[in-house]
Amino acid sequence: RKEVEQDPGPFNVPEGATVAFNCTYSNSASQSFFWYRQDCRKEPKLLMSVYSSGNEDGRFTAQLNRASQYISLLIRDSKLSDSATYLCVVNSENAGNMLTFGGGTRLMVKP
Amino acid sequence: IAGITQAPTSQILAAGRRMTLRCTQDMRHNAMYWYRQDLGLGLRLIHYSNTAGTTGKGEVPDGYSVSRANTDDFPLTLASAVPSQTSVYFCASSAGTGGRETQYFGPGTRLLVL
């Protein structure tokens, strides 16, 4: 079983739609959680950190459920420019504080 | 500010050849990392360095070596390339090694081993 699992997609949605991605992690000792964004043939970039109480950044909302060991990302009012692969990332102290990446979920926003 | 640069951008390499991928950062970050990204497998950590002069093994270190002679540079060497090392290689850095540190990635090196 992969340590961090994501539905690879692709998720095809029209502009203006709301779309949600989920991610599950296996290491119950995981401490920090992130969503990174990766455009086609580009490097990953931090989109947002995920806090226990949930957090929002404009059209993006991240939630963490420690009991069920999953993380979610909600994108409201999708834009064409949101088309990318979204990587779920987990940091675990008992893994030397190394980041573990999910395989990514691909989002395609259509006009 | 350049951030992190990698060279070469892409390379075709014959199996058995030696190759060094270069990575340089100008942010004075203490920690640096090398990942490989393969379709369906996501990013996997090859080697890391928490500070100049120290290195450590990641998830997939076999066939690769690194050095960290100074803060800015973190080269990755394939001593004798094999086709399974065909991948996209990303170098990254972070200011520290704490749990919430953001990692900043270079643009990647696309390597094809024939």
Coordinates of all heavy atoms in Angstrom, one line a residue, chain A residues 1-8 23-27 69 90 100-104, chain B residues 38-44 59:
Chain A
R1 N 0.9 -1.2 0.0 CA 0.0 0.0 0.0 C 0.9 1.2 0.0 O 1.9 1.3 0.7 CB -0.9 0.0 1.2 CG -1.8 1.2 1.3 CD -2.5 1.3 2.6 NE -3.3 2.5 2.7 CZ -3.9 2.9 3.9 NH1 -3.8 2.2 5.0 NH2 -4.5 4.1 3.9
K2 N 0.6 2.2 -0.9 CA 1.3 3.4 -0.9 C 1.1 4.2 0.4 O 0.0 4.2 0.9 CB 0.9 4.3 -2.1 CG 1.3 3.7 -3.5 CD 0.9 4.6 -4.6 CE 1.2 4.0 -5.9 NZ 0.8 4.8 -7.0
E3 N 2.1 5.0 0.8 CA 2.0 5.8 2.0 C 1.0 6.9 1.8 O 0.3 7.3 2.8 CB 3.3 6.3 2.4 CG 4.3 5.3 3.0 CD 5.5 5.9 3.6 OE1 5.4 6.9 4.3 OE2 6.6 5.4 3.3
V4 N 1.0 7.5 0.6 CA 0.0 8.6 0.3 C -0.7 8.2 -1.0 O 0.0 8.1 -2.0 CB 0.8 9.9 0.2 CG1 -0.2 11.0 -0.1 CG2 1.6 10.2 1.5
E5 N -2.0 8.1 -0.9 CA -2.7 7.7 -2.1 C -3.7 8.8 -2.6 O -4.4 9.4 -1.7 CB -3.5 6.4 -1.8 CG -2.6 5.2 -1.5 CD -3.3 3.9 -1.8 OE1 -3.7 3.7 -3.0 OE2 -3.3 3.0 -0.9
Q6 N -3.7 8.9 -3.9 CA -4.7 9.9 -4.5 C -5.3 9.2 -5.7 O -4.7 8.4 -6.4 CB -3.9 11.1 -5.0 CG -3.2 11.9 -3.9 CD -2.6 13.1 -4.5 OE1 -1.3 13.2 -4.6 NE2 -3.4 14.1 -5.0
D7 N -6.5 9.6 -6.0 CA -7.1 9.2 -7.3 C -6.4 10.0 -8.4 O -6.4 11.2 -8.4 CB -8.6 9.6 -7.2 CG -9.4 9.3 -8.5 OD1 -8.7 9.0 -9.5 OD2 -10.6 9.3 -8.4
P8 N -5.8 9.3 -9.4 CA -5.1 10.0 -10.4 C -5.9 10.9 -11.3 O -5.4 11.8 -12.0 CB -4.4 8.9 -11.1 CG -5.2 7.7 -10.9 CD -5.8 7.9 -9.5
C23 N -7.3 12.6 -0.4 CA -6.0 12.0 -0.3 C -6.0 11.2 1.0 O -6.4 11.7 2.0 CB -4.9 13.0 -0.4 SG -3.3 12.6 0.3
T24 N -5.5 10.0 1.0 CA -5.3 9.2 2.3 C -3.9 8.9 2.5 O -3.1 8.8 1.6 CB -6.1 7.9 2.2 OG1 -5.6 7.1 1.1 CG2 -7.6 8.2 2.0
Y25 N -3.5 8.9 3.8 CA -2.1 8.6 4.2 C -2.1 7.5 5.2 O -3.1 7.3 6.0 CB -1.4 9.9 4.7 CG -2.0 10.5 6.0 CD1 -1.6 10.2 7.2 CD2 -3.1 11.4 5.8 CE1 -2.2 10.7 8.4 CE2 -3.7 12.0 6.9 CZ -3.2 11.6 8.2 OH -3.8 12.2 9.3
S26 N -1.1 6.7 5.2 CA -1.0 5.5 6.0 C -0.3 5.7 7.4 O -0.5 4.9 8.3 CB -0.4 4.4 5.2 OG 0.9 4.7 4.9
N27 N 0.6 6.7 7.4 CA 1.4 6.8 8.6 C 0.7 7.7 9.7 O 0.5 8.9 9.5 CB 2.8 7.5 8.3 CG 3.7 7.6 9.5 OD1 3.3 7.4 10.6 ND2 5.0 7.8 9.2
Q69 N -7.5 9.7 8.6 CA -6.2 9.9 7.9 C -6.5 10.3 6.4 O -6.0 9.6 5.5 CB -5.4 8.6 8.0 CG -4.9 8.4 9.5 CD -4.0 7.2 9.7 OE1 -4.0 6.7 10.8 NE2 -3.4 6.7 8.7
V90 N 2.8 14.7 2.6 CA 2.8 14.4 4.0 C 4.2 14.4 4.6 O 5.1 13.9 4.0 CB 2.1 13.1 4.3 CG1 2.1 12.7 5.8 CG2 0.6 13.1 3.8
T100 N 6.6 12.9 1.9 CA 6.2 11.8 1.1 C 5.1 12.3 0.2 O 4.1 12.9 0.6 CB 5.6 10.6 1.9 OG1 6.7 10.2 2.8 CG2 5.2 9.5 1.0
F101 N 5.3 12.1 -1.1 CA 4.3 12.7 -2.1 C 3.4 11.6 -2.6 O 3.7 10.5 -2.9 CB 5.1 13.2 -3.4 CG 5.9 14.4 -3.1 CD1 7.1 14.4 -2.4 CD2 5.4 15.7 -3.6 CE1 7.8 15.6 -2.2 CE2 6.1 16.8 -3.4 CZ 7.3 16.8 -2.6
G102 N 2.1 12.0 -2.8 CA 1.2 11.2 -3.5 C 1.5 11.3 -5.0 O 2.2 12.1 -5.5
G103 N 0.8 10.4 -5.7 CA 1.0 10.4 -7.2 C 0.4 11.5 -7.9 O 0.7 11.7 -9.1
G104 N -0.5 12.3 -7.3 CA -1.1 13.4 -7.9 C -2.4 13.1 -8.5 O -2.7 12.0 -8.9
Chain B
D38 N 8.4 9.6 -11.7 CA 8.0 8.6 -12.7 C 6.5 8.5 -12.8 O 5.8 8.6 -11.8 CB 8.6 7.2 -12.4 CG 10.2 7.3 -12.3 OD1 10.8 7.5 -13.3 OD2 10.7 7.2 -11.1
L39 N 6.0 8.3 -14.0 CA 4.6 8.2 -14.2 C 4.0 7.2 -13.3 O 4.4 6.0 -13.3 CB 4.3 7.9 -15.7 CG 2.8 8.1 -16.1 CD1 2.5 9.6 -16.0 CD2 2.7 7.7 -17.6
G40 N 2.9 7.6 -12.6 CA 2.2 6.6 -11.7 C 2.9 6.4 -10.3 O 2.2 5.8 -9.5
L41 N 4.1 6.9 -10.2 CA 4.8 6.7 -8.9 C 5.0 7.9 -8.1 O 5.4 7.9 -6.9 CB 6.1 6.0 -9.1 CG 6.1 4.6 -9.7 CD1 7.5 4.1 -10.0 CD2 5.4 3.6 -8.8
G42 N 4.8 9.1 -8.7 CA 5.0 10.3 -8.0 C 6.4 10.6 -7.7 O 7.3 10.0 -8.3
L43 N 6.7 11.6 -6.9 CA 8.1 12.0 -6.6 C 8.6 11.0 -5.5 O 7.9 10.8 -4.5 CB 8.1 13.4 -6.1 CG 8.0 14.4 -7.2 CD1 6.9 15.5 -6.8 CD2 9.3 15.1 -7.4
R44 N 9.8 10.5 -5.7 CA 10.5 9.7 -4.7 C 11.8 10.3 -4.3 O 12.6 10.7 -5.2 CB 10.6 8.3 -5.2 CG 9.3 7.5 -5.4 CD 9.5 6.1 -5.9 NE 10.0 6.1 -7.2 CZ 10.4 5.0 -7.8 NH1 10.5 3.9 -7.2 NH2 10.8 5.1 -9.1
E59 N 14.5 7.3 -0.2 CA 13.7 6.0 -0.5 C 14.4 5.2 -1.6 O 14.3 3.9 -1.5 CB 12.3 6.4 -0.9 CG 11.4 5.3 -1.2 CD 10.0 5.7 -1.8 OE1 9.8 7.0 -1.8 OE2 9.2 4.9 -2.2

